[in-house]
Amino acid sequence: MSDTTYIAFLRAVNVGGRTVKMERLRELFTELGLEEVRSYIQSGNVFFRTGERDRAALTRRIEQHLEASLGYPVPAMLRTVEEVADLLDAEPFAGHEAGPDTRLVVVFLSEPLPEGYELPQRSAKGDYEIVGADPGAAYVVMHLQGGRMNTNPGAVFGKSYAGQGTGRFLHTLHKILAAARKA
C-alpha cells in the first residue's frame, strides 16, 4: 500500500496567546515518524505522508503528542488531499459569494453534526449562517458586523455538538490544497 498525504487542520494554534512556531510544529509531527512534513501559514495547517491506515488512531496519537509537548489540547482534523479537493469541487457555497462584508468558511468537524440538526441555520444576531454540512465539514457564511466577525466559526454549533471544529476561509483552503499538492 502506498502512503497517504494528509492535511492536518489544527485548532488552537497561534490564537489566544498560544504561539507555536511552524518549525516547532513540523518537528513535533516528524517526532511521530510522519514523513515529508510541511506547514502552510501560521494557523495550524500541516501536510505529511504516512502509511498508517487507522485515521482515528493517528488523530489520537497526534493530539496526544501535541498536548504533551505544548501543554494544552490541540484538536486535529485530518483530511486527505483528495478529500479536500472533492470538497472544493462540490462547490459547497454555490449561490453565496465572499465580499467586503461576507466571508465563506469551511469548518472541519471532528464528529458529524447531531442527528436532526436543521440546515440552513441562521444565528439570532444575523452574524452567520450555516448553509450546509456533510459528516466531515460544515459550510458557514459569516456576515461581518462593524467590519469584523463577532463569532468564531469553529464554535457556531452550540452545546449540542460534542465534537470540535476548526475553520478555514474558502479562499485560504484553495491555497492550502495547492500547497499540499506540491512535492
Side-chain angles (χ1 to χ4, degrees):
M1 287 193 161
S2 64
D3 285 355
T4 299
T5 300
Y6 281 102
I7 304 171
F9 296 99
L10 305 177
R11 183 174 181 182
V13 170
N14 293 336
V15 295
R18 295 175 171 170
T19 304
V20 183
K21 296 206 179 298
M22 292 302 100
E23 180 181 357
R24 176 67 178 134
L25 199 56
R26 290 189 300 271
E27 287 172 1
L28 293 172
F29 274 74
T30 301
E31 288 170 6
L32 291 168
L34 304 172
E35 300 172 358
E36 298 176 35
V37 177
R38 297 177 292 132
S39 58
Y40 181 78
I41 63 177
Q42 298 293 316
S43 59
N45 308 292
V46 179
F47 320 131
F48 62 90
R49 293 184 63 76
T50 182
E52 193 167 332
R53 294 286 169 241
D54 186 338
R55 187 185 316 209
L58 178 60
T59 300
R60 280 191 304 278
R61 207 162 58 89
I62 290 169
E63 289 176 341
Q64 289 168 354
H65 187 61
L66 292 176
E67 184 170 4
S69 301
L70 300 174
Y72 56 88
V74 180
M77 277 47 83
L78 302 184
R79 301 296 182 268
T80 67
V81 168
E82 294 79 16
E83 289 167 343
V84 175
D86 289 347
L87 179 154
L88 292 171
D89 287 347
E91 298 184 18
F93 291 100
H96 300 277
E97 288 189 32
D101 294 322
T102 306
R103 303 290 183 270
L104 306 179
V105 181
V106 175
V107 179
F108 291 97
L109 304 172
S110 64
E111 306 290 330
L113 292 175
E115 282 291 316
Y117 196 87
E118 301 265 336
L119 294 173
Q121 190 173 114
R122 189 174 181 92
S123 71
K125 292 188 281 183
D127 57 342
Y128 68 85
E129 184 177 0
I130 305 167
V131 297
D134 56 45
Y139 309 106
V140 182
V141 177
M142 302 297 297
H143 301 287
L144 277 59
Q145 297 179 338
R148 55 185 294 156
M149 290 195 316
N150 295 322
T151 301
N152 173 352
V156 298
F157 309 108
K159 300 206 184 313
S160 66
Y161 180 61
Q164 300 282 336
T166 188
R168 299 297 183 272
F169 291 121
L170 181 64
H171 67 277
T172 303
L173 190 55
H174 282 281
K175 293 175 186 177
I176 291 169
L177 178 61
R181 285 178 162 163
K182 289 181 182 174

